[in-house]
Amino acid sequence: MCRAEPGVMGQLISPDDSWLDLMDLHDGTPFWPRRDGIIATHPPLPGDVSCEVCVVGAGITGSLVALELTRRGIDVVVVDRRDAGGGSTSASTSMLQYEIDELMIDLTAAIGWEAAATAYRECSRGIDLVERATQAVGDTCGFRRSPSVFMAVGKRDVAMLRSEMAARADAGFDVRWLSADELMDRWKLVGVAAIESATGGSVDPYQLCYRALQTAIRRGARVHDRTEVTAYELTARRTMLSTNRGTIKARHVVIAAGYEVEPLLPQLPLRLHSSFALVSEPIQGLDRRYPDGLLFWDFDDPYLYGRVTDDERLLIGGRDERYRDPRRRRRALPTKTRALAADAARRFPGAGSIEVGYSWCGTFAETPDGLAYIGGHSSWPRTLFALGFGGNGITYSALAAQYLAEHIESGAVPEAARLFDLERAKVTP
């Protein structure tokens, strides 16, 4: 997937362009760019430049990293081969959860109680960091805290759900048990039982991405769209990135390229799949029924998840597939959209009639243990990675921004960040 050969300054690593050309991250009509429009534009790289830190990737992850680095007075250049926010950020369903893709009871069995509880608590703190980012940019970007509901839809799963609730309570989370009747009375959701969590949230990721970049620019950062990195020359003293528009000399590099990182780290345990989503037309009265919003998902196969937006829409996702072929995914979108709308009407009758406004599909990544990859790698000198894979992408991005900024500023690795080490032992809960 990538080529590595000795270079005059160290290791030369060039992404395989043929692979990148096939890396369509989404199809259909993602909601956020349609709703928000063109928020800002950034010029391509004008030529050769130097900086303290070059951030590769101008999606939500790269933008939050740039925001945190510039807060600390660090000179930053951000580049992206697309327009800012034009990759996976624009297709995110942006549910902010403390729950990761693996149940706490399963993660505990794989890595131990303390590590599992720390991972969950850090994701909860990630929601706080997202809120702090909206305060830093001076715009809520649709951020709000909302309760979340995790449902069992089969009686066989009730015992598992009770064990999971006990584990979360032991870790200090504010949770309560809902029977089927309570689930319907309180949230108008259909299931046999549920865990209700007080901790949850949502945000407009596309808007936050742009607001964060604009704030970073005001602090001195330089942001360049449509600038593709074609090679990395790495030494223990510095890095030099070749692009299609010039070179970038930097003391450190942060790679926030999301799912496109595979050619750079082909050995990284990672599975790329396809997911599908829709957002309804506005549903009159939804804000009155759910004034604080709502996040929900079920333990089913195929699973369903969703949330209420801040403009009275229902955003639904699921019906995932194990393939990543963009052509196959694109062909499946109409059928998947109809299925998701039917699933939502069945599981969430409290939303009333669901008319599809927009639908889309895209690539998503899973790690074996459900945890992100954040930090350095032994084969990449002076380079750090911010790869918030899984259902907690945005909260992982917020954590990565803080972890990596501390590392760059002081050389220290926060203890909690070790959970997300790129070269950790592979475990599968």
Side-chain angles (χ1 to χ4, degrees), residues 150-364:
F150 176 42
M151 299 179 289
V153 297
K155 292 182 179 180
R156 66 189 181 282
D157 297 321
V158 171
M160 172 280 298
L161 201 67
R162 285 197 178 278
S163 297
E164 180 68 10
M165 177 173 165
R168 296 183 186 188
D170 288 345
F173 291 103
D174 182 359
V175 291
R176 62 175 290 191
W177 183 261
L178 297 179
S179 67
D181 289 341
E182 290 170 325
L183 182 60
M184 175 55 67
D185 291 343
R186 183 168 172 78
W187 298 113
K188 305 304 180 192
L189 287 164
V190 175
V192 299
I195 301 171
E196 180 187 309
S197 297
T199 303
S202 57
V203 74
D204 178 336
Y206 190 74
Q207 188 174 96
L208 178 56
C209 171
Y210 272 88
R211 300 303 181 210
L213 290 174
Q214 288 175 314
T215 303
I217 289 169
R218 288 196 295 272
R219 294 171 175 172
R222 290 159 284 172
V223 178
H224 301 291
D225 290 342
R226 306 194 184 192
T227 300
E228 181 174 358
V229 177
T230 55
Y232 300 81
E233 292 185 66
L234 311 172
T235 73
R237 296 181 59 189
R238 69 168 184 172
T239 65
M240 186 167 75
L241 285 66
S242 298
T243 79
N244 60 331
R245 297 180 181 274
T247 61
I248 304 169
K249 294 180 180 179
R251 292 185 62 243
H252 302 274
V253 174
V254 173
I255 296 181
Y259 307 141
E260 292 177 307
V261 78
E262 191 175 25
L264 306 180
L265 289 172
Q267 71 275 37
L268 198 67
L270 183 65
R271 298 184 299 273
L272 296 180
H273 304 312
S274 295
S275 191
F276 302 83
L278 66 82
V279 67
S280 73
E281 295 289 0
I283 300 171
Q284 188 173 6
L286 205 59
D287 276 352
R288 290 195 301 273
R289 289 198 290 274
Y290 304 98
D292 296 321
L294 171 66
L295 286 68
F296 68 92
W297 66 105
D298 62 31
F299 190 78
D300 200 9
D301 187 17
Y303 71 93
L304 185 78
Y305 65 91
R307 71 175 181 89
V308 175
T309 71
D310 60 353
D311 57 353
E312 294 197 294
R313 299 174 190 263
L314 188 63
L315 197 162
I316 296 292
R319 291 277 171 174
D320 299 348
E321 294 287 355
R322 294 293 179 181
Y323 57 75
R324 64 190 238 189
D325 180 353
R327 292 173 291 267
R328 186 176 177 186
R329 185 182 67 205
R330 196 177 304 126
R331 289 194 300 268
L333 181 57
T335 299
K336 293 287 187 177
T337 299
R338 290 191 294 271
L340 282 175
D343 292 343
R346 186 167 53 251
R347 187 74 60 222
F348 195 38
S353 177
I354 297 173
E355 180 183 353
V356 176
Y358 303 96
S359 66
W360 63 96
C361 52
T363 299
F364 81 100

